[in-house]
């Protein structure tokens, strides 16, 4: 084993990764706070309420789901963790979101990368989205018991 | 506005630290596996099964690199293999559904997801999608 090559590749790779993470995490979370303050996010999230409801999700689920599509699972999970700490997401929310997110995240970047080397974007993206929606819907119907739902949180989506 | 930026920076820093603690050890561990050749050995072992998803034997390298390391690694392998549109589309769909399983397992654990069911779901969905695309494309 080439120890010197291993060490240098791992070290530079790590630094590169830490830089990439910082360049996404800081602007992202600061933008989210600013957008949150201005009320834009709430309005945008509300658009998804009727859909989220069909998947037994509370309205707070939309932001992490959107972030995970744009920036990837790690970032979506970061936003999810913050929402849990702020007590905005229930345990059943987490379970349902996890099923959707492990299958469907960072779809924009992934699809573009595979298209760049010659793949068919419509088939790749379409297959992934359809499978994620179907599997999440089945999971929410079959595995999430009614009594598990946090009605206080779901009630917030009932307003209009 | 200034308050929001301050709050955002603080949250970002805390989140960043949490993510580093997960991602850095896993990253180094996977690099080590790569250097010791364990990943290559696995690639040889699974080669015959690739026919089911309509891919040449050597494409198992891309699939395993994607599953175990990440999509970037898989892209490098795929580009060097000079695959056709059909093969890239099948591989791209399979890898989109399941990739970076080691690193993302740490993320799943962090959000308190159940590891084995969720990873199995991804891999099974990925393989079935490959089989179905092989039949219809």
């Amino acid at each position: 084993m080439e120890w010197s090559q291993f060490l240098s590749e791992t070290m530079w790779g790590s630094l590169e990764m830490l830089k990439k993470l910082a360049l996404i995490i800081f602007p992202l979370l600061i933008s989210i706070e600013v957008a949150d303050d201005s009320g834009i996010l709430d309005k945008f999230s509300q658009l998804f309420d009727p859909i989220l409801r069909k998947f037994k999700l509370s309205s707070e689920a939309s932001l992490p789901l959107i972030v995970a599509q744009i920036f990837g699972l790690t970032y979506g999970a970061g936003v999810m963790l913050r929402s849990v700490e702020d007590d905005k997401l229930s345990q059943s929310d987490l379970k349902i979101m996890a099923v959707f997110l492990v299958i469907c995240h960072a779809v924009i970047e992934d699809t573009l990368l595979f298209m760049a080397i010659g793949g068919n974007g419509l088939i790749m993206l379409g297959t992934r989205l359809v499978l994620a929606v179907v599997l999440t819907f089945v999971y929410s119907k079959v595995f999430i018991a009614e009594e598990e739902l946090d009605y206080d949180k779901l009630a917030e989506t009932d307003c209009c | 506005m200034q308050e929001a930026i301050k709050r955002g920076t603080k949250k970002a820093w805390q989140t960043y630290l949490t993510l580093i603690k997960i991602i850095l050890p896993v990253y180094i561990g996977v690099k080590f596996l790569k250097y010791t050749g364990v990943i290559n050995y696995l690639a040889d072992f699974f080669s015959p099964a690739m026919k089911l998803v309509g891919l040449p034997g050597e494409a198992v390298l891309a699939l395993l690199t994607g599953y175990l390391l990440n999509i970037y690694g898989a892209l490098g392998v795929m580009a060097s293999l000079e695959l056709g549109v059909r093969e890239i589309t099948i591989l791209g769909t399979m890898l989109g559904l399941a990739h970076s399983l080691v690193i993302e397992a740490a993320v799943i654990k962090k959000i308190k997801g159940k590891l084995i069911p969720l990873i199995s779901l991804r891999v099974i969905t990925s393989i079935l999608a490959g089989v179905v695309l092989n039949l219809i494309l």
Side-chain angles (χ1 to χ4, degrees), chain A residues 17 44 121 126 148:
Chain A
M17 189 174 59
F44 189 63
E148 255 190 275

Side-chain angles (χ1 to χ4, degrees), chain A residues 13-23, chain B residues 16 20 23-24:
Chain A
S14 305
L15 287 175
E16 186 64 28
M17 189 174 59
L18 294 183
K19 192 181 85 181
K20 274 189 198 159
L21 284 174
L23 283 177
Chain B
Y16 189 54
I20 289 175
I23 285 170
L24 211 50

